[in-house]
Amino acid sequence: MADDLLSIFKSRGALLEGHFLLSSGLHSPRYLQCALVLADPPLATRLGGELKAALEPLLAGARPSAVIAPALGGVLVAHEVARAFGCRGLFTERQGDLMTLRRGFSLEPGEPVLVVEDVITTGGSTREVMDAVGGLGAKVLAVGSLVDRSAGSVDLGVPRRSLLSLEVPSYPADACPLCASGSPAVKPGSRPTPR
Ligand SMILES: [Zn+2]
């Protein structure tokens, strides 16, 4: 699947080269624009099914009752993994500094859930979702992502799987060689994708 998904990203123009400011605050010469891949509904459904298949062996027979992702990037991933499991697909949103469930979404204490993402880089937003879920007393069984940019180095304290694991360099702004060369970092999606 990994080679397959990487070739899908390439063929959709979703593997961008340049100088990017990631949501984690880090800078990177590469960016994976998952929205361009998830824009294809049958493909999104297929990837959700593949992530389900990757996560299922970690669950020891347990069934999640909800799949939860951080908005906005993870919403479609949660939706499609939830479709595959036949359970609810929810998302958290940032309210001020706090990641929280809104829109009437709720979790019961002890409810078994999965947390998913489009891309994991530092795991920061994933941890925020896990904290929000844990604060409601629900139990995170495992974490899944389409892409793991940390090449497996992020430890979230629960089992996790990704469909594509890549080691992509990323740098703090004050140690970024691209900044040092004088190019400005751009926020992906803040301008039309170059073709
Ligand atoms: Zn930079």
Side-chain angles (χ1 to χ4, degrees):
M1 181 60 209
D3 287 348
D4 192 13
L5 186 54
L6 187 58
S7 67
I8 288 170
F9 270 89
K10 287 177 177 166
S11 70
R12 309 275 162 147
L15 180 59
L16 311 182
E17 308 276 346
H19 181 192
F20 301 105
L21 174 60
L22 308 179
S23 59
S24 58
L26 300 176
H27 292 200
S28 177
R30 290 167 100 192
Y31 184 75
L32 292 140
Q33 184 55 277
C34 286
L36 288 173
V37 170
L38 295 168
D40 178 338
L43 176 58
T45 299
R46 187 187 122 200
L47 294 175
E50 290 182 8
L51 195 49
K52 179 212 176 197
L55 289 167
E56 210 156 33
L58 306 178
L59 305 182
R63 299 289 298 179
S65 58
V67 181
I68 308 167
L72 193 61
V75 173
L76 290 172
V77 181
H79 188 77
E80 293 302 338
V81 174
R83 186 200 303 278
F85 274 106
C87 67
R88 283 141 57 224
L90 312 180
F91 54 87
T92 60
E93 296 166 86
R94 216 176 286 281
Q95 197 166 26
D97 285 341
L98 197 66
M99 195 74 99
T100 181
L101 280 176
R102 302 177 67 185
R103 302 174 193 271
F105 291 155
S106 63
L107 293 170
E108 300 295 321
E111 198 173 335
V113 304
L114 297 172
V115 173
V116 298
E117 274 274 21
D118 53 352
V119 180
I120 286 181
T121 302
T122 63
S125 55
T126 313
R127 276 190 200 93
E128 289 181 71
V129 177
M130 292 173 72
D131 288 346
V133 167
L136 296 169
K139 180 177 166 47
V140 178
L141 300 173
V143 168
S145 62
L146 297 183
V147 180
D148 176 8
R149 288 182 45 133
S150 82
S153 68
V154 168
D155 182 359
L156 295 167
V158 296
R160 75 182 181 94
R161 288 287 183 274
S162 62
L163 295 185
L164 174 62
S165 182
L166 286 177
E167 193 155 17
V168 183
S170 52
Y171 316 98
D174 60 5
C176 174
L178 301 161
C179 283
S181 72
S183 86
V186 298
K187 215 170 167 176
S190 61
R191 60 179 66 174
T193 305
R195 299 189 66 88

